[in-house]
Amino acid sequence: MSTLPKSVRFPLFILMLNLFIALLGQGMLIPILPEYLKLFHAGGTVAGFLVAAFGAAQFFFSPLGGQLSDRFGRKKLIIAGMFLSVISDIIFALSTSLPFLYVARFIGGISLGLMVPANLAYVADITTPETRAKGMGYFGAAMNLGMVLGPGLGGLIAEMGIRMPYFFAAGLGLIAALMTLLLPETLPPEKRTVSIRLQKGDHLGKKIWSSFKVPYFKYLIVLLVMTFGLMSYETVFALFAEQKYGFDAATISIIITLGAIIGIVVQIWLLDCFVQRIGEIKLIRLSLIITPIALLLMLIKVNLVFLLFASALFFAFNSFLRPSVSTLISKNAGDRQGYASGLNTTFSSLGTVIGPLIAGLLFDKNINFPYIFGAIMLLASLGLTLNAFRSKKGQLYTSE
């Protein structure tokens, strides 16, 4: 972060802290959720619906969050998202019946739906086209770090009580929300899109339909496919590794954690170097070739070292994809950074809903099918990048 201007470092640190804490809270819930649900005499089906409720809320509210950040400013939406995250964790911790759990998860999804687009737009506001990829990389690394550290921390705190991790997550969220008050607003009133009105017909379907007309639509599709591929990997990997390799839970956890750490290293230390050398387009193309190869390599049963290599390869190049694609979307968004960030989050969250559903269905047919299908989808999306090129100045153009 030292290579970024001083005026960028503090706001970016606060944004990273926000996303880190929000995703840390989500990650803390993962290892204790099955045990927690026993308090409600519920099992896997309810757990699946709770995950779906969170993803669906994020999907529906992301376009709204992006547009509202263009209308009212980034800071207000970030703060609102953090406070909603706190409310979600508190309701989940205090719940005595299943309906309240669903309400809590839905509110949690709304919080990220409002906060993530505003955060992305804020990063775009404070960075230049030359430093934007680095800013997006730090942004993604903070989210990954939260998901990596969350499960372990949640398990430790649960020793003090099964509800304690949720209270702990709420406390961290409150601290982050208060720190966000120190952020300056990056969108001055004269640049806000005051003409946007949330009319009766201004629904999600209309926003999705309008996304077909934006110049960066193809990159939204790449983002959707990329998220789908990642969720396909994560959703069934534990079952896949257990059935194909006979690995226990501890070994599987090591593989996933190592892969996530590699992703963090890539986004913090390697992403900007690659972007500067070959540009976002070529890096996206390379990643869309390597990631499906890595998925297919996992199907070849050799040993633990080989699977670690394939997983590391997948995580490394998947970590190149998201910030590179987000950077291209931002560069093509013009003055509507919030709107573009909202679509960014919407298409990502759509991948988190569709990916697990399809991966689970395919896994029941054949344990190799989710990875084969994910590889095919990633390779197919490569065609979306073939008619784009960059000028010497680094500006993106798309040929018709």
Side-chain angles (χ1 to χ4, degrees), residues 230-239 355-357 359-360:
L230 178 62
M231 294 306 298
S232 295
Y233 169 89
E234 291 182 344
T235 301
V236 300
F237 182 76
L239 296 172
L357 294 176

Short mmCIF file of all heavy atoms in Angstrom, two decimals, residues 230-239 355-357 359-360:
data_model
loop_
_atom_site.label_atom_id
_atom_site.label_comp_id
_atom_site.label_asym_id
_atom_site.label_seq_id
_atom_site.Cartn_x
_atom_site.Cartn_y
_atom_site.Cartn_z
N LEU A 230 -15.94 -20.33 -8.91
CA LEU A 230 -15.42 -20.36 -7.55
C LEU A 230 -16.39 -21.05 -6.60
O LEU A 230 -15.98 -21.88 -5.78
CB LEU A 230 -15.15 -18.93 -7.06
CG LEU A 230 -14.63 -18.80 -5.63
CD1 LEU A 230 -13.29 -19.51 -5.46
CD2 LEU A 230 -14.50 -17.33 -5.23
N MET A 231 -17.68 -20.74 -6.72
CA MET A 231 -18.67 -21.36 -5.85
C MET A 231 -18.83 -22.84 -6.15
O MET A 231 -19.09 -23.64 -5.25
CB MET A 231 -20.01 -20.63 -5.98
CG MET A 231 -20.00 -19.20 -5.46
SD MET A 231 -19.41 -19.05 -3.76
CE MET A 231 -20.65 -20.02 -2.90
N SER A 232 -18.67 -23.23 -7.42
CA SER A 232 -18.71 -24.65 -7.77
C SER A 232 -17.59 -25.40 -7.07
O SER A 232 -17.76 -26.51 -6.57
CB SER A 232 -18.59 -24.82 -9.29
OG SER A 232 -19.70 -24.27 -9.95
N TYR A 233 -16.42 -24.76 -7.04
CA TYR A 233 -15.27 -25.35 -6.36
C TYR A 233 -15.54 -25.48 -4.86
O TYR A 233 -15.38 -26.56 -4.27
CB TYR A 233 -14.02 -24.49 -6.60
CG TYR A 233 -12.84 -24.86 -5.73
CD1 TYR A 233 -11.93 -25.82 -6.15
CD2 TYR A 233 -12.65 -24.26 -4.49
CE1 TYR A 233 -10.85 -26.17 -5.35
CE2 TYR A 233 -11.58 -24.60 -3.69
CZ TYR A 233 -10.68 -25.56 -4.12
OH TYR A 233 -9.62 -25.90 -3.32
N GLU A 234 -15.95 -24.37 -4.24
CA GLU A 234 -16.08 -24.35 -2.79
C GLU A 234 -17.24 -25.19 -2.28
O GLU A 234 -17.13 -25.83 -1.23
CB GLU A 234 -16.24 -22.90 -2.31
CG GLU A 234 -15.00 -22.04 -2.50
CD GLU A 234 -15.18 -20.64 -1.96
OE1 GLU A 234 -16.34 -20.25 -1.74
OE2 GLU A 234 -14.16 -19.96 -1.78
N THR A 235 -18.35 -25.20 -3.01
CA THR A 235 -19.56 -25.87 -2.53
C THR A 235 -19.36 -27.36 -2.34
O THR A 235 -19.78 -27.94 -1.34
CB THR A 235 -20.74 -25.62 -3.49
OG1 THR A 235 -20.97 -24.21 -3.59
CG2 THR A 235 -22.00 -26.31 -2.99
N VAL A 236 -18.73 -28.02 -3.30
CA VAL A 236 -18.63 -29.49 -3.26
C VAL A 236 -17.21 -29.97 -2.98
O VAL A 236 -16.98 -31.18 -2.99
CB VAL A 236 -19.14 -30.10 -4.58
CG1 VAL A 236 -20.60 -29.74 -4.81
CG2 VAL A 236 -18.28 -29.66 -5.77
N PHE A 237 -16.27 -29.06 -2.73
CA PHE A 237 -14.88 -29.52 -2.60
C PHE A 237 -14.69 -30.48 -1.44
O PHE A 237 -13.97 -31.47 -1.55
CB PHE A 237 -13.92 -28.33 -2.46
CG PHE A 237 -12.48 -28.76 -2.37
CD1 PHE A 237 -11.80 -29.16 -3.50
CD2 PHE A 237 -11.82 -28.79 -1.14
CE1 PHE A 237 -10.48 -29.58 -3.42
CE2 PHE A 237 -10.51 -29.20 -1.06
CZ PHE A 237 -9.83 -29.60 -2.21
N ALA A 238 -15.30 -30.17 -0.28
CA ALA A 238 -15.14 -31.04 0.87
C ALA A 238 -15.65 -32.45 0.56
O ALA A 238 -14.98 -33.45 0.87
CB ALA A 238 -15.88 -30.46 2.07
N LEU A 239 -16.83 -32.54 -0.06
CA LEU A 239 -17.36 -33.85 -0.44
C LEU A 239 -16.50 -34.52 -1.50
O LEU A 239 -16.25 -35.72 -1.46
CB LEU A 239 -18.80 -33.68 -0.95
CG LEU A 239 -19.83 -33.18 0.06
CD1 LEU A 239 -21.15 -32.87 -0.63
CD2 LEU A 239 -20.03 -34.20 1.17
N GLY A 355 -24.33 -20.94 -8.57
CA GLY A 355 -23.20 -21.87 -8.49
C GLY A 355 -23.44 -23.05 -7.56
O GLY A 355 -23.32 -24.21 -7.98
N PRO A 356 -23.78 -22.80 -6.28
CA PRO A 356 -24.00 -23.92 -5.37
C PRO A 356 -25.15 -24.83 -5.78
O PRO A 356 -25.07 -26.05 -5.60
CB PRO A 356 -24.31 -23.22 -4.04
CG PRO A 356 -23.67 -21.90 -4.15
CD PRO A 356 -23.81 -21.51 -5.59
N LEU A 357 -26.22 -24.25 -6.32
CA LEU A 357 -27.37 -25.07 -6.72
C LEU A 357 -26.99 -26.05 -7.84
O LEU A 357 -27.26 -27.25 -7.76
CB LEU A 357 -28.52 -24.16 -7.18
CG LEU A 357 -29.16 -23.28 -6.10
CD1 LEU A 357 -30.21 -22.37 -6.72
CD2 LEU A 357 -29.79 -24.14 -5.01
N ALA A 359 -23.89 -26.89 -8.83
CA ALA A 359 -22.81 -27.77 -8.40
C ALA A 359 -23.35 -28.94 -7.59
O ALA A 359 -22.91 -30.09 -7.77
CB ALA A 359 -21.79 -26.98 -7.58
N GLY A 360 -24.31 -28.66 -6.70
CA GLY A 360 -24.88 -29.74 -5.90
C GLY A 360 -25.63 -30.75 -6.74
O GLY A 360 -25.51 -31.97 -6.54
#
